[in-house]
Amino acid sequence: MNGKSAPGKMPTGTTGDTPQVLLAHHLKQLKLPTVLREYDKVARECARDGVDHPRYLLRLVELELIDRERRMVERRIKAARFPAVKSFDTFDFTAIPGLNKMLVLELARCEFVLRRENVIALGNSGTGKTHVALALGLAACQKGFTVTFTTAASLVHQLMEARDERRLLKLQRDLQAVKLLIVDELGYIPLSPTGAELLFEVFSQRYERGSTIVTSNLPFEDWTSVLGSERLTGALLDRLTHHVHILTMNGDSYRLKQSSGRRRSSNPEQAAEPIRATSETVDPETGEISAS
């Protein structure tokens, strides 16, 4: 015996009396969980329908690919750290008539990410800017792009903390590498001079290297009140607006309308009573309504 297998002989381990056990082991080793889960059911369906072996194998491979893509999308969504998963299916475009719906839906195709263009959503509090940013982020995850979501205040805090712990360069490299960076709520909290400079560095390093979405409750001319320097504000806007799509989202509070509608539907006796907007305030951080 020379130890070589005879012609046509099956490899060792494939002719035993426990093929299911061996098959399960091999599929786990090959990281094909969908094939492992579905092969028996698909085999019965193919036998019933008279499907040949190549088409049986094709069905299994297609199922594996579909499931693998689903898992990859889920991982990208988790890595993005969205505060909530939002889509355009639940966005009421009629509530913000000034918003260019056609532009938003075009952006949802995510070709702007391929072109490394930016998106800036401007408007007063509660008009759905974060919802639009989250929906665009979700679409980007589904298209295969890496996404990171953060608020401006949180990002500045992370940058300053990383600087103090001597890991700022690593964080900056990570932020530069992501395909789509979403910076929400720029303008709600004034930044320190150091914080504003660190934020500027992030935008500057991403210039023409990756796409950035920024939402703000302030028009461009008021950004100096947040960044504290006309020179820095001008330089930042020069980079952000070079390749940009601007979404104007001024109007009545989207959240206030939704909350008022929920109150009227839950208490029909008060449905005819006028809503006195002057007696309520909306927290820009939480969206909660409280009596003044």
Side-chain angles (χ1 to χ4, degrees):
M1 298 291 291
N2 57 11
K4 294 182 180 180
S5 299
K9 185 177 179 181
M10 296 294 290
T12 302
T14 61
T15 58
D17 57 357
T18 56
Q20 289 85 356
V21 174
L22 291 171
L23 181 58
H25 172 76
H26 296 332
L27 290 174
K28 287 178 181 177
Q29 289 291 104
L30 292 170
K31 298 181 179 179
L32 298 171
T34 306
V35 173
L36 174 59
R37 186 177 66 248
E38 300 290 339
Y39 79 87
D40 188 53
K41 182 184 73 174
V42 175
R44 290 195 301 269
E45 292 174 350
C46 288
R48 180 196 64 203
D49 300 336
V51 175
D52 58 23
H53 289 84
R55 288 181 174 80
Y56 162 66
L57 183 58
L58 177 61
R59 286 189 186 182
L60 281 178
V61 172
E62 287 176 340
L63 287 172
E64 184 68 51
L65 288 173
I66 291 170
D67 204 36
R68 183 170 295 186
E69 176 58 27
R70 178 188 59 79
R71 294 194 300 269
M72 290 176 66
V73 170
E74 289 176 350
R75 285 195 292 270
R76 286 192 290 267
I77 292 173
K78 183 177 181 181
R81 297 185 179 180
F82 297 130
V85 177
K86 301 277 189 178
S87 72
F88 288 117
D89 293 337
T90 57
F91 186 79
D92 184 7
F93 283 94
T94 62
I96 310 295
L99 177 62
N100 187 337
K101 180 178 179 180
M102 294 301 296
L103 173 59
V104 173
L105 296 181
E106 174 65 24
L107 291 173
R109 297 173 59 187
C110 295
E111 292 181 2
F112 78 96
V113 181
L114 287 172
R115 295 191 296 264
R116 298 167 186 167
E117 297 168 347
N118 301 325
V119 177
I120 301 178
L122 301 176
N124 47 294
S125 178
T127 52
K129 299 183 300 297
T130 299
H131 189 143
V132 168
L134 287 169
L136 290 175
L138 176 63
C141 287
Q142 293 169 336
K143 295 288 186 179
F145 299 110
T146 54
V147 180
T148 292
F149 180 96
T150 182
T151 64
S154 176
L155 178 56
V156 169
H157 176 76
Q158 292 177 55
L159 291 165
M160 295 186 70
E161 190 176 68
R163 183 201 59 174
D164 295 341
E165 296 176 0
R166 299 181 182 276
R167 52 181 180 84
L168 179 59
L169 288 178
K170 181 183 183 305
L171 178 56
Q172 288 176 329
R173 284 196 298 267
D174 291 343
L175 291 169
Q176 183 177 330
V178 71
K179 296 299 182 183
L180 177 61
L181 175 65
I182 302 174
V183 181
D184 196 28
E185 298 179 346
L186 178 65
Y188 284 93
I189 300 175
L191 304 177
S192 67
T194 301
E197 290 175 1
L198 289 171
L199 184 63
F200 168 77
E201 285 185 26
V202 170
F203 291 137
S204 181
Q205 290 165 356
R206 291 185 57 78
Y207 175 60
E208 294 190 329
R209 294 186 178 92
S211 292
T212 304
I213 296 177
V214 177
T215 74
S216 178
N217 63 321
L218 298 176
F220 291 137
E221 58 267 26
D222 291 342
W223 281 27
T224 302
S225 64
V226 177
L227 298 170
S229 164
E230 290 187 6
R231 177 190 60 81
L232 191 67
T233 302
L236 186 148
L237 286 173
D238 180 62
R239 287 159 175 77
L240 275 181
T241 60
H242 185 200
H243 308 287
V244 71
H245 303 275
I246 298 176
L247 303 177
T248 303
M249 300 184 64
N250 283 312
D252 295 332
S253 174
Y254 185 70
R255 290 193 295 260
L256 180 59
K257 285 183 178 180
Q258 288 184 322
S259 183
S260 299
R262 286 195 297 269
R263 287 204 309 277
R264 286 197 298 271
S265 62
S266 63
N267 193 347
E269 293 181 359
Q270 296 181 356
E273 295 183 6
I275 299 173
R276 294 177 294 171
T278 55
S279 65
E280 297 174 327
T281 57
V282 181
D283 189 320
E285 298 293 332
T286 65
E288 295 180 352
I289 298 175
S290 58
S292 61

